[in-house]
Amino acid sequence: MKITKPSYFDSFSCIASNCPDSCCKEWDVQVDAASAAYYRSLPGALGDDLRRLLKDEDGETVMTILDRRCPMWRQDGLCRIQAELGEAALCKTCREFPRLTHDYGDFIERGLELSCPEAARIILSSPIAAPITEGISGGEAEYDEEAMDVLLRTRENVLTILADTSRPVNESLALALLYGYQAQAELDGDEELPFDGDSALESVREFVKIPEISELPDFFAGLEILTEEWADRLRSPAPGAWCDEYRLLARYFVERYWLQAVSDYDLACRVKYIIASCVLIRQLGGPLLRTAQLYSKEIENNADNVEAILDGAYAHPAFTDDKLLGLLLQN
Ligand code: SF4
């Protein structure tokens, strides 16, 4: 099977005790069935603790979180299971994180999650480069092939738009939003047309609207919130400057979400989600790396939050095109 991954994918290595956040904090960890059975069969103090801490909920096994952290997380920042039994004993969630896998049947796309600080550092500092493809063709396509062809082609186009440094980054993001509608039309069956960025920007400049600064943060404040830091950030946005790292951030979101439209043919709401994510991160301000990583931890790792944004992209007034474009194109 063909596997495609970003050029930086293999440079990730967990920095463990040097991590400024941790995947062992705040989240419930889902433990796969094989690991749960193994953990429960262990003798001694570790086995006793694991039998006590593993809980079965709604058909899944999760590690109980104590004081907002995984109880296997030691004072020195290392994992007790890994320290006592070796890396191979980690459950699938911990072994894989922050690596992402999207399996489409005849090809796999891999990536890193922005919610891990070290992965975020790599994503936001690695120069734009062609992805790496390895493996050989095989497997059966589990998708609508015509739709996937459109999505693969239009994804290349939007990545080219985002990489065009002859424009300011905020204009590139505005064009990515506008191109997203053209790509949606092509996904719906319209013919492929050339995209003229200058004309597209010219046609929208008149109707952009500058919303209240709190409108988008207020929407996010209504979602599920994990940390006090995130709640504070949403309460007091302090917009930062646009910088070229936003091209890398948008690229990350595009690589992660664009092809998912093959499941329901709804690309437009994902494009809005991508652009609104970049706009919100800029609105909140602070060091981009920390704000983006925190965003991902709070939003991307919570399926209910992602769903709420995809729904809000159509229905909520904070996501209208005139306001998103206003936030992107205001001077
Ligand atoms: S968040 Fe990333 S760097 Fe930090 S402990 Fe987890 S995998 Fe390692």
Side-chain angles (χ1 to χ4, degrees):
M1 173 133 28
K2 277 199 173 155
I3 300 174
T4 302
K5 56 192 180 182
S7 56
Y8 54 70
F9 182 82
D10 291 324
S11 60
F12 173 77
S13 171
C14 173
I15 54 175
S17 54
N18 291 322
C19 181
D21 197 342
S22 175
C23 46
C24 308
K25 267 166 56 181
E26 281 116 8
W27 283 323
D28 288 339
V29 176
Q30 275 181 20
V31 180
D32 59 284
S35 300
Y38 170 58
Y39 293 163
R40 285 175 165 140
S41 74
L42 288 168
L46 179 58
D48 289 341
D49 287 344
L50 286 166
R51 276 183 287 281
R52 185 169 47 80
L53 293 164
L54 291 174
K55 297 275 181 279
D56 295 320
E57 292 173 1
D58 304 326
E60 287 172 342
T61 304
V62 292
M63 179 74 80
T64 309
I65 296 295
L66 300 176
D67 294 331
R68 302 181 68 78
R69 47 186 282 153
C70 174
M72 290 292 121
W73 193 34
R74 305 192 316 193
Q75 289 292 333
D76 60 4
L78 299 177
C79 169
R80 183 176 165 198
I81 293 175
Q82 182 168 354
E84 293 189 28
L85 302 171
E87 192 177 347
L90 292 175
C91 68
K92 195 162 178 280
T93 306
C94 298
R95 213 169 39 238
E96 284 286 305
F97 185 83
R99 298 169 191 87
L100 291 163
T101 301
H102 294 125
D103 188 344
Y104 295 98
D106 62 341
F107 72 98
I108 286 175
E109 290 214 336
R110 306 217 64 194
L112 296 178
E113 285 202 36
L114 193 66
S115 56
C116 158
E118 177 62 3
R121 186 192 66 74
I122 294 169
I123 290 165
L124 295 179
S125 64
S126 300
I128 290 174
I132 296 166
T133 299
E134 45 196 35
I136 50 167
S137 300
E140 220 165 284
E142 294 169 2
Y143 50 80
D144 174 337
E145 294 185 37
E146 213 175 308
M148 183 61 93
D149 283 348
V150 173
L151 290 169
L152 285 166
R153 176 173 51 74
T154 53
R155 186 175 67 169
E156 276 313 302
N157 290 343
V158 79
L159 290 175
T160 302
I161 289 170
L162 289 169
D164 177 7
T165 53
S166 68
R167 292 184 188 277
V169 64
N170 50 321
E171 281 191 14
S172 297
L173 289 168
L175 285 178
L177 176 64
L178 297 171
Y179 177 71
Y181 291 116
Q182 180 171 319
Q184 176 69 68
E186 290 177 23
L187 187 60
D188 294 338
D190 282 10
E191 65 175 307
E192 182 184 342
L193 293 170
F195 181 71
D196 180 340
D198 290 329
S199 308
L201 283 177
E202 211 39 59
S203 65
V204 297
R205 280 198 196 275
E206 277 174 36
F207 80 87
V208 300
K209 206 185 263 176
I210 312 292
E212 290 292 317
I213 187 176
S214 61
E215 196 166 349
L216 203 53
D218 282 349
F219 170 84
F220 281 84
L223 304 181
E224 289 177 25
I225 290 184
L226 203 58
T227 64
E228 215 22 66
E229 181 183 353
W230 183 242
D232 284 347
R233 294 291 204 95
L234 292 171
R235 272 193 294 268
S236 35
W242 289 112
C243 60
D244 260 358
E245 281 73 22
Y246 281 93
R247 295 183 196 281
L248 301 170
L249 182 65
R251 186 182 182 88
Y252 158 81
F253 287 127
V254 166
E255 286 177 341
R256 184 164 177 176
Y257 296 107
W258 198 272
L259 297 192
Q260 289 181 17
V262 81
S263 64
D264 57 8
Y265 305 95
D266 192 345
L267 178 61
C269 74
R270 290 176 172 85
V271 174
K272 278 198 165 190
Y273 168 59
I274 290 165
I275 300 303
S277 300
C278 294
V279 167
L280 178 82
I281 289 167
R282 186 249 174 180
Q283 272 194 306
L284 298 186
L288 174 58
L289 179 59
R290 175 60 182 157
T291 308
Q293 183 256 324
L294 189 56
Y295 173 89
S296 178
K297 181 170 175 164
E298 295 276 351
I299 303 299
E300 292 192 285
N301 285 93
N302 183 323
D304 290 340
N305 281 350
V306 173
E307 265 318 300
I309 298 166
L310 292 176
D311 289 346
Y314 284 125
H316 196 278
F319 288 86
T320 58
D321 292 329
D322 54 354
K323 291 178 187 166
L324 287 179
L325 288 166
L327 291 166
L328 285 165
L329 297 175
Q330 67 186 322
N331 291 317

